[in-house]
Amino acid sequence: MSDTNRVRLTSVREATLGVTPANPKMRTRRMTGESLSFKPAFVTSAEIRSDRMTADPTKVNETNDGDVNNELSFPVDGSPLSDDFASALFNEWVNTPVRDNAGTADSVITGVAATGGIFTVLTGAAFVAGHLIKTSGFFNSGNNGLFKLTTGSATVPAVGDGLLIDEANPAANARIKVVGFEGASGDIEAIVDGLESTALDFTLFGLVPGQWLKIGAAGAGNRFATAPNNAYVRVSGPVTAHKIPLDNLPTGWAADDGSGKALRVFFGDQLRNGTKRISQTLERGFMDQAEPTYIVQRGMVVGQLALNMASEQIITAAFTYNGMSGAQSTTSLDDTPEPATTNRSMSANVDVGRVAESGATVVGPNFVRSASITINNNLRMITAIGNVGAVDIGVGECAASLQLETYFGSNALLAKLLDGELGNLSFRMAKDRQGLVIGFPRVTFTDGAPSANAKNQDVTLPLAAQASIDPATGAQVLIDRFEYVE
């Protein structure tokens, strides 16, 4: 007997489609259920027999596909959920600069000096002065926190004197991650359509059109005095040295000279749909068997992502995979996989901070009751004589569609549907000071009609929308993740 509660699902990224890395370090996956399937395909013989009997079925190939269902949590960089999103959008995350010992002490981050507040790290993406970094996992608690870099460097970034404690061999979990930027007191101001600075050069931070920012921190000295300005906003055009143009501005946004404020602006990693095929090897282990069975599926690419939000429910994400080949044995690819992430699941009512249509929050009388997002890569399996399994995976268009069910309190959204008006949609969610924004910068409502189905019910407007390429961002789907935000 085998119990579903004892099934272990792990995965690893592949460098080559269908090829599991040598000595793979597997990561444990979180799931609410799976329907993964590695199985043979048979064809019944067409032979005609006078005795009315049937000849043996003939094995013609093997199939390798299936679904993994999840509750949505923050997609930690390098985690299976992060890789799933990358595979679904056919692109890599563009990450802010980071250094992480990743389980091996004194490996990437090799020292902390109190004098000058210097971190010594292996070279990589450069840190720049003005970056806001979140540090964690150091032995000395005083080295963990939120700091502004006063000196930029790829190897010795510094936060200045009096903030850090000497640490010669930083711990295995030590991590430094850029989460935003901070200006000098009074340097950053809000204008009618964005942010301006006098001294700080905004082009140093790599911000791009379509990227989301969170303006303002928890402390009064790091946020605008104009309360509505301390909000999530979107970069609307090319960033210049002293201006960030913005849209999706909140109601009440107003000019504010930022006098006396060392303004903090948070930003994070971004993923946009592209053309890079990203595959994984998945392994299921049936751990309660006397000798566990392990089923390996290779070359698994996300063919479809379905994200669902419903009132009073946990947000769910289902990933449908198509793969190349598989195998089963009683030997695991990795007997000691890395543990699963522990970030808490997000729910629609509590953790979705905003659903926006064309830059404005969807509020009463047309509140959103449910929403679903589907991204379909239209994959096709390519097979060939002499080869068991697939020899390649064909890739079709990225079809991104959305479904919204709103209360029918006014004709505002219905009018946009009937007029064929172009707009945009975004969904912002956050939990435990980590945020996620999923945006569709160019959408068209394509279907929907209100109806009274029975008495004693609310009238709703079920809307279907289709995403298309947005010239300003060059994308259809944009996902921003904020590893830390206030």
Side-chain angles (χ1 to χ4, degrees), residues 164-190:
L164 303 179
I165 302 169
D166 286 333
E167 190 166 323
N169 300 291
N173 294 324
R175 180 175 171 84
I176 305 170
K177 173 70 172 176
V178 170
V179 295
F181 64 84
E182 179 181 325
S185 180
D187 185 49
I188 300 176
E189 64 177 308

Side-chain angles (χ1 to χ4, degrees), residues 381-470:
M381 307 314 295
I382 299 174
T383 61
I385 293 173
N387 293 272
V388 178
V391 295
D392 203 353
I393 298 177
V395 180
E397 69 175 0
C398 173
S401 60
L402 304 96
Q403 302 284 332
L404 290 180
E405 183 187 23
T406 72
Y407 293 99
F408 189 53
S410 78
N411 74 334
L413 294 175
L414 179 62
K416 291 191 174 187
L417 165 67
L418 295 174
D419 291 343
E421 184 177 330
L422 287 167
N424 60 73
L425 285 166
S426 63
F427 304 85
R428 188 190 80 227
M429 51 214 78
K431 196 176 193 74
D432 300 330
R433 292 191 169 180
Q434 294 180 315
L436 198 65
V437 182
I438 303 176
F440 301 84
R442 189 179 180 92
V443 299
T444 304
F445 290 118
T446 56
D447 195 12
S451 58
N453 296 316
K455 64 181 182 179
N456 303 323
Q457 294 183 0
D458 297 310
V459 178
T460 62
L461 176 61
L463 287 165
Q466 181 176 318
S468 51
I469 183 171
D470 173 48

Side-chain angles (χ1 to χ4, degrees), residues 2 51 70 94 104 129 172-173 184 262 304 311 363 373 437 451 453 464 474:
S2 187
D51 58 9
N70 303 265
V94 177
T104 304
N173 294 324
Q304 180 170 290
S311 182
V363 295
I373 296 165
V437 182
S451 58
N453 296 316

